[in-house]
Structure formats: structure tokens, C-alpha cells
Amino acid sequence: MSRYLIVGGAGYIGSHVVRALVERGDTVVVLDNLSTGHLEAIATSGARFIPGDVCEGNGLDRLFRCQEFDCVMHFAASSLVGESVTKPLDYYANNAGGAIRLLEAMQRNGVDNFVFSSTAAVYGEPSRVPIEESCTPQPTNPYGRSKRFIEQLLGDCAKAYGLRYAALRYFNAGGACPSGEIGEDHSPETHLIPLVLQVALGQRERIDIYGTDWPTPDGTCVRDYVHVCDLADAHLLAADRLAAGGESVVFNLGNERGLSVREVVDLARRVTGREIPVRDAPRRSGDPARLVASSSRIRSALGWSPRFEDPGELIETAWRWHREHPHGY
Ligand code: UDP
């Protein structure tokens, strides 16, 4: 049994990790300022909740002094590409600033193991697909650059202070806990799958397809959708490896299968049995044409393999969540 501090644990991905840790018997403390997270996402999980902001160094020190942790996982971040272009200072302050405060507090209090939420956005427009971790990161927006900065900071802290970390580069997270109790709830919602399901529920008239002239088979953007519970499994494996003395690592987390925007809509039509009207719209700035992961590194290093390889199943779990919680938490 290990003791975890989960920063940003009330958010979409964090709350699924919290649930998985508690289910296997670990002790979990969640620190979250609830700016985008939801108390309901962890209320019945068995984790202890501490309201607070990762950018507040004093609060972090108090927390580390009252309780011992074996590992910290850091999910708290601003994560919208478009918003990062118009508010870069907010993104650097919250993402880079928050990570610095957290790493400082960990160093002062002798906590060495760190699991970090990174992103496929660090790759920018990749020169080769599927993308391997050795592909040179060239982020094309402030969000991706803020995450890449933290990855580099982690490398420096590992050398200087003996920090050991796993940086997990998520591709497109989707789906929900099959129990239907927790799921995705952003406000405003900008992500494709929840928006498509809101159309299926009759909450939106149609889905805009951002660009139909991309250099892809059907002209729409291709992404690698990975189930949020598979992401959660990977966090547990990565933390266990650090606990066993493993070296610092960077892993992609994706299914190695690309789905176009049109394919997502078609799958959602099949799963929901609803019509889901679409409208062709201009490209969204900052979108790369095709992001598909190679996840062979984490498969062979940690034995990770996704339980939800079928994208239809991913959409089914998301649909259950949205149907049962049409207005979110
Ligand atoms: N997308 C779209 N219409 C929408 C929202 C998203 O066509 O209303 C496209 C978007 O351009 C991208 C894909 O769906 O190619 C996934 O976008 P999302 O925002 O879900 O995730 P991202 O890839 O930006 O992390």
C-alpha cells in the first residue's frame, strides 16, 4: 500500500486515477482548487480531499509536513490549445508555475517520485506517424510548450536532486468509468466526443467539423483516442515502477489507431442510434492533421495494454455517462 498526493485529482483523468488507486487499497489525498474539477468526481471515492491551489507554495509545505507521501501525481493544468494562444501568460503561470511550486515543495520535504500528465501536443506537427517518443518535440502552441518546458525541468531536477519521474504523453483521452458514475464534464465543452454526444442528446443542434481538406483519407483530422481507464492503468504501472526503483521515463499513451472526425461521428451514430447532424466548418487553428501514437515503449517496459481497444466501446462508456448525467455532475 502506498500513499499518493494527487494534484488536480478532481478533474476528468485525475478522478479516474484516484478511483483506481483507492480500489487497489492505496491511500490517496487529492489537492484541487476545483476551478475545472468537480468535488462529486471524488466525493464517494474514499480519497481525502484538500481544497487548495498548486501555485500556493505555503499550502503545499503545510500539506507535506502533516502527511507523508511516497509519490505525487500532477494533473492540475490549463489544457485548451486555443485558449493558450490568447492567454499564454495564464498558461505558463498555471502550468509551468504550478509544477515549479510543486517540485520545490517535494524537494523541501524529501518526496522523490513524480508522475506527470504530459501531452501529445509536445510533438506539434509530427514528421512521422505513428509517433515514437524519440521524435523531436516541436510544440506549436503555448499549451504544448508549457508542458514541454515541464518535461525538460523534470530532466534537470532528476540530475540535480535525484527526482525520479514518469512523464506520460496522453493522446486524446475519451470514455468514462464503465460504472457510469464519473466521466467527462468540462465547461465550456470543446472536445469532440462529448460534443458529439451532446448533439445525440439533443442539447446541441449539430457538430461542426473543423476542416474537411486535411491531407487525410476523408479530409478530416485523425486522432488516437485512448480510454480514460487505460490511462489510469498506465499511471498505476508507472508509479509502481518508480516505487520499485525504476529510472525516469517518458511514455506515449495511445491506442496506435487513428480515427478521423467523421469516423468518430459515424461510430457515435451507431452507438447512440441517433442522427447527429454535422456541418463542415473551417479548420481550427493549431490543429495538426494526424496524431497517432506508437505506444510500444510502455507496452514493452511496463506491460501496459489497453483494455478498451475498440473505439466503439470507448464511445459506449462515454454515452452511458452523458445519458445518465446529461448536465454533468
Ligand atoms: N473537432 C471538430 N469539431 C469540434 C471539436 C473538435 O471537428 O467541435 C476536431 C478537432 O479539430 C480535432 C479533433 O476533433 O481534430 C479532436 O479535437 P479535441 O478538441 O477533442 O481534442 P484535441 O485533438 O484538440 O486534443
Side-chain angles (χ1 to χ4, degrees):
M1 190 189 89
S2 300
R3 300 156 301 179
Y4 288 90
L5 173 62
I6 310 294
V7 180
Y12 170 44
I13 301 172
S15 60
H16 285 79
V17 174
V18 166
R19 179 172 279 244
L21 287 169
V22 172
E23 270 173 12
R24 73 174 193 178
D26 289 317
T27 301
V28 178
V29 173
V30 171
L31 178 81
D32 200 301
N33 67 4
L34 299 182
S35 61
T36 57
H38 304 274
L39 195 50
E40 298 90 329
I42 48 164
T44 57
S45 66
R48 184 169 150 227
F49 173 65
I50 313 241
D53 198 305
V54 67
C55 295
E56 268 288 326
N58 292 339
L60 289 173
D61 273 327
R62 275 197 301 278
L63 181 55
F64 280 111
R65 280 199 299 266
C66 347
Q67 188 147 350
E68 286 192 21
F69 295 105
D70 303 301
C71 181
V72 175
M73 295 192 187
H74 183 33
F75 296 91
S78 306
S79 61
L80 300 179
V81 167
E83 188 182 59
S84 80
V85 175
T86 55
K87 299 179 176 169
L89 284 171
D90 292 359
Y91 271 66
Y92 284 100
N94 194 33
N95 294 358
I100 291 170
R101 294 288 94 75
L102 182 56
L103 290 164
E104 284 172 341
M106 286 173 62
Q107 195 220 342
R108 279 194 295 268
N109 294 280
V111 182
D112 290 331
N113 291 355
F114 191 67
V115 179
F116 173 59
S117 298
S118 190
T119 167
V122 299
Y123 291 114
E125 187 73 59
S127 50
R128 258 204 339 239
V129 171
I131 305 168
E132 292 177 356
E133 290 86 348
S134 56
C135 171
T136 307
Q138 286 181 311
T140 49
N141 53 62
Y143 167 60
R145 279 190 282 275
S146 70
K147 290 284 185 172
R148 177 63 188 148
F149 169 84
I150 299 165
E151 288 187 354
Q152 291 172 311
L153 173 65
L154 293 176
D156 292 336
C157 290
K159 285 193 198 106
Y161 313 124
L163 176 82
R164 285 181 315 108
Y165 68 90
L168 305 180
R169 292 177 176 162
Y170 312 149
F171 282 65
N172 286 59
C177 179
S179 70
E181 289 166 85
I182 56 173
E184 192 166 7
D185 178 5
H186 299 115
S187 185
E189 189 52 78
T190 64
H191 294 106
L192 180 64
I193 293 175
L195 287 175
V196 166
L197 296 178
Q198 286 175 1
V199 177
L201 281 172
Q203 294 175 338
R204 290 176 190 267
E205 250 178 69
R206 67 180 85 82
I207 190 82
D208 279 336
I209 298 189
Y210 294 148
T212 52
D213 58 350
W214 294 95
T216 58
D218 68 13
T220 68
C221 282
V222 169
R223 294 288 181 275
D224 183 336
Y225 295 88
V226 54
H227 198 282
V228 65
C229 292
D230 290 326
L231 292 182
D233 289 349
H235 285 74
L236 273 54
L237 291 170
D240 290 347
R241 182 55 62 95
L242 292 175
E247 289 300 304
S248 295
V249 279
V250 176
F251 289 130
N252 283 343
L253 283 175
N255 263 321
E256 306 191 314
R257 179 211 302 245
L259 277 187
S260 73
V261 175
R262 286 202 199 284
E263 285 173 321
V264 169
V265 174
D266 285 343
L267 264 178
R269 287 181 178 134
R270 201 189 75 204
V271 167
T272 63
R274 312 275 168 100
E275 205 175 309
I276 315 188
V278 299
R279 174 172 68 181
D280 293 355
R283 290 182 176 190
R284 185 174 69 176
S285 97
D287 268 345
R290 207 162 156 235
L291 288 176
V292 180
S294 159
S295 50
S296 56
R297 186 185 280 184
I298 188 166
R299 287 170 192 263
S300 62
L302 301 187
W304 178 75
S305 86
R307 288 183 277 152
F308 295 88
E309 270 184 312
D310 171 4
E313 247 186 291
L314 182 153
I315 292 181
E316 268 165 34
T317 60
W319 177 231
R320 182 174 315 152
W321 158 256
H322 284 282
R323 233 183 12 212
E324 289 173 14
H325 304 265
H327 303 291
Y329 284 103

